Amino acid sequence: MSTMTLFHAPLSPFVRKVMVVLHETGQLERVRLQPVNISPVSGDPQLNLDNPIGKIPALRLDDGTVLHDSRVICEYLDLQHVGPPLLPREGSARWRRMTLASQADAIMDAAVSSRYESFLRPEDKRWDGWLQAQGEKIRRSLANLEQEHLAELASGFDLAAIGVACALGYLDLRQPGFGWRERQPGLAAWYAEVAKRPSMVATAPTA
């Protein structure tokens, strides 16, 4: 029985991250999905009622409280299930995995920002320097994942790994010519495996 409402747009990598967490923790049936169609210049009145910044994903709990920001929502959901935690509860391992999850979010931020700049902004106002800087940020982050974090990602499909997988999926969706697989073959091999997980298949975005 649904006790929570998730405001979402299925092509958002941040929304997908929450959806994967719901699948992986067996909580999907607790949530009713409320589609919204928003952009940086167009909001949704219902979403804005209890979420003044108009961000998605946003999760309305059964008591009416609204959580927003995918990191907040995922941490909340991680405390609501009985299985192994998706983030260590304490110690240095927690901060390391949270930092890795934040790096995945930064890749998504840069990719979404690039999408807005190249698709929503009028062509005569687009800033090529901005797009280049976002692309460089993504490339640095992916190179770091390849060089420093492959073993960690392969150790379990936790919140950090979910974030990286959703970031890579969004790159494939919006920037199919980015060429990250050629530069990061180890990351590509890892992603090829986790992309087969039922949670990833069920939430795969389509343009």
Side-chain angles (χ1 to χ4, degrees), residues 97 100 103-104 107 137-157 160-172 178-196 200:
R97 299 302 282 189
L100 192 56
Q103 184 168 329
I107 295 171
K137 183 186 298 184
I138 295 169
R139 289 188 179 91
R140 287 196 308 270
S141 296
L142 295 182
N144 175 260
L145 293 175
E146 176 86 3
Q147 295 162 11
E148 304 290 341
H149 300 293
L150 276 181
E152 289 177 84
L153 291 174
S155 67
F157 201 57
I162 290 170
V164 172
C166 291
L168 295 175
Y170 188 75
L171 281 177
D172 283 351
F178 197 79
W180 65 270
R181 285 176 174 80
E182 293 77 11
R183 298 184 183 93
Q184 285 83 42
L187 193 62
W190 170 81
Y191 179 68
E193 287 303 311
V194 299
K196 299 174 186 176
M200 290 291 290

Side-chain angles (χ1 to χ4, degrees), residues 2-80:
S2 300
T3 59
M4 299 181 286
T5 299
L6 180 68
F7 294 89
H8 81 113
L11 299 187
S12 162
F14 298 102
V15 167
R16 188 184 187 191
K17 182 173 66 168
V18 172
M19 292 298 297
V20 171
V21 167
L22 288 170
H23 278 273
E24 292 285 336
T25 60
Q27 299 185 77
L28 191 63
E29 292 184 357
R30 298 182 59 202
V31 175
R32 182 179 70 88
L33 301 181
Q34 177 68 46
V36 293
N37 184 18
I38 63 173
S39 76
V41 296
S42 177
D44 180 277
Q46 186 177 0
L47 175 65
N48 294 343
L49 284 176
D50 301 303
N51 176 17
I53 59 174
K55 288 188 68 171
I56 58 168
L59 183 68
R60 178 179 289 138
L61 309 184
D62 56 1
D63 66 357
T65 301
V66 176
L67 307 179
H68 56 77
D69 189 278
S70 63
R71 280 175 286 192
V72 175
I73 295 170
C74 287
E75 287 210 45
Y76 173 82
L77 294 173
D78 193 24
L79 295 173
Q80 304 303 310

